[in-house]
Amino acid sequence: MHGRRLAAAVVLTLATAAPVLSVPAAAQAAVPAVATSYSSLMYRSLTADATMASLRLTLKDQQRVLAVRAGEVSVATRAEVAAQKTLSAVSVTHQGVHDRLKAAERALTDANNVLKKVSKQRPVKKSAVTKARKAVAAATVTRDQRRKKLHEAAVPLRAAQAGVRSATVVLRAAATAHTTAATAVTGTQRRIANQGTAAEYATRAAALSRGVVDQVRPAFTVADTTSVYGVTVHRTVAFAFKRMVDDAAAAGVVISGGGFRTKERQIELRKINGCPDVWTAPASSCRVPTAIPGRSLHEIGLAVDISSGGKTISRKTKAFTWLQANAAKYGYVNLPSEAWHWSITGG
């Protein structure tokens, strides 16, 4: 009896090891929202560690950039302060020259007034007129010299003003870059704080698995499946299944198997596996447990009969040991009565 059971198991595995139908070119049906959520959670679960590591590297890079930007702000601030000090000193000098010019202009005005006054006196006093004219000439020379000084003083003033404007532009740019860098750091820190663990995401996905089955089954079409290393599975579990196969291979365990099969194939297997009645007999009544057509998760691509080395796995195989220790994190649960049968609900 045991030999017959094992032989039937091999028949089951070989019958489902390759996709029964190729995925047609028809447009993929709309995947139920719960399935989309499940797939997203599994993706986040299986990439959580890599995502966290990437975020931490990103944060380090952003913090280095922020430090550089802070240094640039510091340098620009000092340059702007120095430019303001230079402008202040040059402005004082310019104002002094300007004030002296005004004083010279007032002195010239006064000298001209004196000249007019003495020129009108009768009798005319030549000595007084001569003296007044000399005073006007001297005041004119002084005024002209101070005008030249003011013109000369305007050159460093304009340069100092331009220096302040330039320093201000540089400081503003540095401050903007610093703000941008600080915002990036804050955003990454927030993402790290909100990043869940792989276990958290996997637990949330597991809580949705029954809903996935319930909502996928009535709307399922073959277009909802895809091939992963020759195993046809529902697109909802494709990423997780591929990761499971890849990670098992990295651990020295090669796994494959049979995924999706049609209801017609399920009926055929019920007959091959000696079920008392195709439509009513419980799976356990068959020589090899085989679900009633319409109830198998294989029919919607959410279960895989695992094989390793071309043979159905048993509880004594290395593949089963690895799956028992690791499959849950990929969303796969074993059906206790069938060592080879793994699905998102264990059914």
Side-chain angles (χ1 to χ4, degrees):
M1 182 67 180
H2 177 71
R4 289 172 61 197
R5 179 183 178 87
L6 215 55
V10 172
V11 169
L12 172 63
T13 301
L14 293 178
T16 59
V20 176
L21 295 176
S22 61
V23 178
Q28 180 188 353
V31 177
V34 67
T36 300
S37 295
Y38 175 90
S39 181
S40 176
L41 287 168
M42 286 307 304
Y43 177 84
R44 296 177 75 179
S45 169
L46 294 170
T47 58
D49 292 342
T51 299
M52 181 62 81
S54 177
L55 285 172
R56 285 173 175 160
L57 284 175
T58 297
L59 179 61
K60 286 184 179 179
D61 289 340
Q62 290 173 336
Q63 288 172 331
R64 282 195 289 269
V65 171
L66 180 60
V68 170
R69 298 293 178 258
E72 290 171 350
V73 169
S74 181
V75 170
T77 298
R78 291 195 296 270
E80 202 268 346
V81 169
Q84 289 286 3
K85 286 182 178 179
T86 298
L87 176 59
S88 178
V90 171
S91 295
V92 168
T93 298
H94 183 271
Q95 187 62 47
V97 174
H98 180 269
D99 290 345
R100 287 194 291 275
L101 172 59
K102 290 300 180 183
E105 288 174 341
R106 289 194 296 271
L108 177 58
T109 298
D110 292 342
N112 278 318
N113 289 335
V114 170
L115 176 58
K116 290 177 181 179
K117 183 179 180 180
V118 298
S119 295
K120 293 178 180 179
Q121 289 179 346
R122 294 295 181 268
V124 175
K125 294 183 179 179
K126 292 184 179 181
S127 60
V129 171
T130 300
K131 181 179 178 181
R133 286 176 176 168
K134 288 182 179 180
V136 168
T140 300
V141 170
T142 300
R143 183 205 59 187
D144 291 345
Q145 289 174 341
R146 291 183 181 179
R147 277 182 176 175
K148 183 179 179 180
K149 290 288 185 181
L150 183 62
H151 178 75
E152 293 171 350
V155 174
L157 177 63
R158 287 193 293 270
Q161 290 170 334
V164 168
R165 288 193 297 270
S166 177
T168 300
V169 169
V170 172
L171 178 57
R172 287 175 179 170
T176 299
H178 181 270
T179 298
T180 299
T183 300
V185 167
T186 300
T188 301
Q189 288 173 330
R190 187 180 299 112
R191 288 183 64 191
I192 288 174
N194 294 334
Q195 178 71 14
T197 66
E200 289 170 348
Y201 291 129
T203 298
R204 289 168 59 190
L208 298 178
S209 60
R210 176 54 60 187
V212 172
V213 172
D214 293 342
Q215 292 192 28
V216 163
R217 192 184 297 280
F220 175 79
T221 69
V222 180
D224 294 330
T225 64
T226 188
S227 179
V228 178
Y229 299 136
V231 181
T232 302
V233 296
H234 197 282
R235 294 178 186 275
T236 298
V237 298
F239 178 79
F241 181 70
K242 182 180 184 300
R243 280 292 299 268
M244 184 168 74
V245 174
D246 289 342
D247 291 350
V253 178
V254 178
I255 60 175
S256 185
F260 167 74
R261 56 177 176 255
T262 64
K263 181 181 287 188
E264 290 73 21
R265 182 54 177 162
Q266 190 69 20
I267 293 171
E268 184 180 356
L269 288 174
R270 289 276 288 182
K271 294 175 180 177
I272 291 173
N273 292 330
C275 304
D277 181 87
V278 170
W279 299 102
T280 61
S284 59
S285 68
C286 308
R287 286 194 302 271
V288 175
T290 309
I292 293 172
R295 298 183 186 178
S296 173
L297 295 187
H298 285 286
E299 294 172 68
I300 54 177
L302 294 178
V304 179
D305 287 340
I306 302 294
S307 62
S308 183
K311 298 180 180 180
T312 301
I313 65 170
S314 69
R315 295 184 183 280
K316 295 181 180 181
T317 60
K318 182 180 179 181
F320 180 85
T321 300
W322 187 90
L323 287 166
Q324 192 174 41
N326 298 284
K329 69 182 181 181
Y330 306 96
Y332 281 88
V333 182
N334 179 237
L335 178 63
S337 60
E338 303 175 28
W340 58 87
H341 183 90
W342 297 78
S343 71
I344 68 170
T345 62

